Amino acid sequence: MPPPVKLAIIGGGPSAFYVASRLLSLLPLKDPMSPLLRVHMYDRLWAPHGLVRYGVAPDHPEVKNCTNKFDATATDPRFRFFGNVNVGSKVLHSIPHALHLPLTSILNNYSHLLFATGCTIPTLHPAIPPSIYCMPALSLVHWYTQHPSRPPPPALDKISHLTLIGQGNVSLDIARILLTSPSVLRQYDVPEHVVEVLSRSTVKHVSIVGRRGPLEVAFTTKELREMINLPEASMVPIEPTLLEPPPGVTPTRQQRRTLELLRNGSKNPPGSTPKSWSLHFYRSPTSLTPPSTASALDMANLTLAHTRLDPATSRAVPTGETSTLPTSLVVTSLGFHADPETTFYDPAMRHLRSSAGRITSSEGSVLKNMYASGWAANGAKGVLASTMIDAYAVAGTILSDIVPFSEAATTTAPPPPVMEMAPDEMLNPHPDLDALPSEIDRGITDGIVTQYDDWKVINAEEVRRGEALGKERERMGWDEAQSLVALSRARS
Ligand code: NAP
């Protein structure tokens, strides 16, 4: 019989759940190895599901259906979830009320460790640092999803023109939320205080700026189509020559669809709606000058370098020309990177050092029983389906280490490479399967650490409150959630 396997997963987002779900199903309860397996998941947020709860746009409720699968995983008796636990990283990016758990407590208590910590830090633009005229997209997303980091509400009632830098799906999510009627958004999972701010919004135009051209946009056609079909906004037509592929370039199917959508323009003719949006290609910000007076009506000036595509590298290079875009607020939406405080962070890659799902040392050798999955391992790219495929492969890799000769392992993962274990990164080869780090035991008793059953109580109450208001759910903050959990535990 192989030795017991006690896997700690740091992170409680989709990648973490997909690895857990796959691993537990590859070693089902009837498997002789099953009694020797435990999977414990830690998240710094008190609620599970990471980006599914705190990243997916509220008007995309169908994307959140994966939580049904995650709920099913959580019913496995070998699985436990511990929320509001910040493993390893210090105060800088942490949640004020989260319990701090040193990584050594995990290493002492577990035989295997998976980092599914995602990419939680927004990439900033060096030329336009955050200010009252410039904020990262993540602050807006965390505001409308009521993330426990609690960014302040944007002053949407004081601005008329908002500029997004970056042409990815996060940019389009934000543009769509700002250009959709709050009465439509309200039926979804949008907190009432967010709906209230959106109802007072005076935003009339959203500019979406990209440093490269229409063939290089990072957003997908589904999201572009949603913009084009917005019932209350229209798109400023794009100069037709910009939509001609350069000579010798054959666009892919997706690129052809993008060009066609852009050529046809929005469902609403330009100028027919009170709100509008525009795409600006081959423009890269170089500075943002605040208005000369502090009047709310004054706009900042965003200077944009004109760019062209270097055919050899496909990178944007400046042409030497510039122009100015007056705007009330700039939102940078340039993607995300992993938290540099995370152990095994690679500053060059801006995510964790890993190879085929295994954590590697700075010399490149594989560290025994340590894994990484999802955005933590690969960077902030891909949609939930690609996260799932990656997670299933990592689960196969873990299984191949646990039971190298099982049928499932040999069909899902290549044989393990030679591995080393650095002395200060030593996991416990013989952990007590059901013991928890003492800090966690105490945190549960003190009502600071949440478990999946607590989440089920909170979830049911959020949905109930939502129903009463005629919407998908009404979210709770930590104080309320903590009180509800205390009450529910006292009753049971
Ligand atoms: P993204 O897809 O990587 O897009 C980032 C955008 O920022 C690109 O247009 C990029 O242009 C631009 N950019 C980066 N650095 C820049 C710089 N220094 N100056 C100017 N522009 C710069 O990132 P994202 O929108 O944050 O999305 C992250 C991931 O989540 C993506 O895989 C996305 O598809 C996914 N996501 C999916 C959905 C959905 O399915 N509905 C919703 C949200 C997010 P270059 O190409 O020129 O670098």
Side-chain angles (χ1 to χ4, degrees), residues 133-450:
Y133 298 101
C134 180
M135 61 157 71
L138 191 65
S139 298
L140 273 179
V141 173
H142 280 175
W143 164 66
Y144 65 62
T145 58
Q146 204 175 319
H147 187 271
S149 61
R150 302 178 62 170
L156 296 180
D157 57 344
K158 298 198 170 43
I159 65 175
S160 56
H161 183 281
L162 185 139
T163 302
L164 284 153
I165 310 291
Q167 295 181 328
N169 279 333
V170 170
S171 271
L172 295 202
D173 279 352
I174 290 175
R176 215 174 53 248
I177 298 296
L178 294 173
L179 296 170
T180 299
S181 163
S183 61
V184 172
L185 290 175
R186 193 180 173 273
Q187 66 186 298
Y188 299 115
D189 176 8
V190 184
E192 284 297 291
H193 60 88
V194 171
V195 175
E196 200 266 319
V197 172
L198 288 170
S199 338
R200 286 187 284 110
S201 167
T202 46
V203 173
K204 291 278 175 285
H205 187 86
V206 177
S207 292
I208 308 167
V209 177
R211 61 181 168 183
R212 299 193 290 163
L215 292 184
E216 289 79 31
V217 292
F219 52 69
T220 39
T221 34
K222 174 180 171 283
E223 277 65 25
L224 175 59
R225 198 170 289 117
E226 286 175 333
M227 287 294 294
I228 297 242
N229 290 332
L230 280 174
E232 295 182 20
S234 52
M235 183 185 105
V236 174
I238 297 168
E239 170 67 43
T241 52
L242 281 175
L243 300 174
E244 291 303 323
V249 172
T250 311
T252 62
R253 199 156 146 253
Q254 176 166 348
Q255 287 172 326
R256 282 202 305 278
R257 273 207 225 126
T258 301
L259 292 179
E260 193 189 328
L261 286 169
L262 293 178
R263 250 181 238 120
N264 292 342
S266 55
K267 199 180 77 180
N268 289 318
S272 65
T273 53
K275 293 185 180 183
S276 54
W277 58 283
S278 50
L279 286 163
H280 305 246
F281 296 110
Y282 303 111
R283 297 286 183 269
S284 180
T286 55
S287 69
L288 182 63
T289 313
S292 46
T293 66
S295 156
L297 299 173
D298 286 331
M299 297 227 190
N301 278 319
L302 178 66
T303 306
L304 297 167
H306 296 197
T307 56
R308 64 175 176 79
L309 207 63
D310 177 341
T313 62
S314 286
R315 293 169 74 104
V317 289
T319 63
E321 269 181 275
T322 61
S323 53
T324 302
L325 181 65
T327 188
S328 327
L329 180 65
V330 176
V331 175
T332 49
S333 184
L334 312 176
F336 303 89
H337 57 86
D339 185 342
E341 285 180 30
T342 318
T343 317
F344 308 118
Y345 178 77
D346 178 343
M349 303 295 289
R350 309 194 88 186
H351 52 74
L352 305 195
R353 283 194 315 264
S354 68
S355 167
R358 299 173 190 280
I359 291 281
T360 55
S361 72
S362 49
E363 288 76 39
S365 52
V366 164
L367 296 187
K368 195 173 174 192
N369 297 348
M370 292 215 187
Y371 312 90
S373 67
W375 284 11
N378 308 305
K381 51 177 182 257
V383 293
L384 275 177
S386 42
T387 295
M388 184 184 77
I389 292 165
D390 167 77
Y392 283 9
V394 175
T397 300
I398 298 172
L399 185 74
S400 71
D401 290 352
I402 301 175
V403 272
F405 305 112
S406 80
E407 199 184 319
T410 45
T411 54
T412 53
V418 178
M419 294 184 239
E420 65 171 53
M421 193 179 264
D424 55 346
E425 287 144 7
M426 191 74 82
L427 286 152
N428 181 349
H430 302 290
D432 176 339
L433 270 184
D434 291 309
L436 298 177
S438 56
E439 300 95 324
I440 299 301
D441 269 331
R442 238 186 347 267
I444 292 171
T445 309
D446 295 346
I448 295 170
V449 173
T450 54

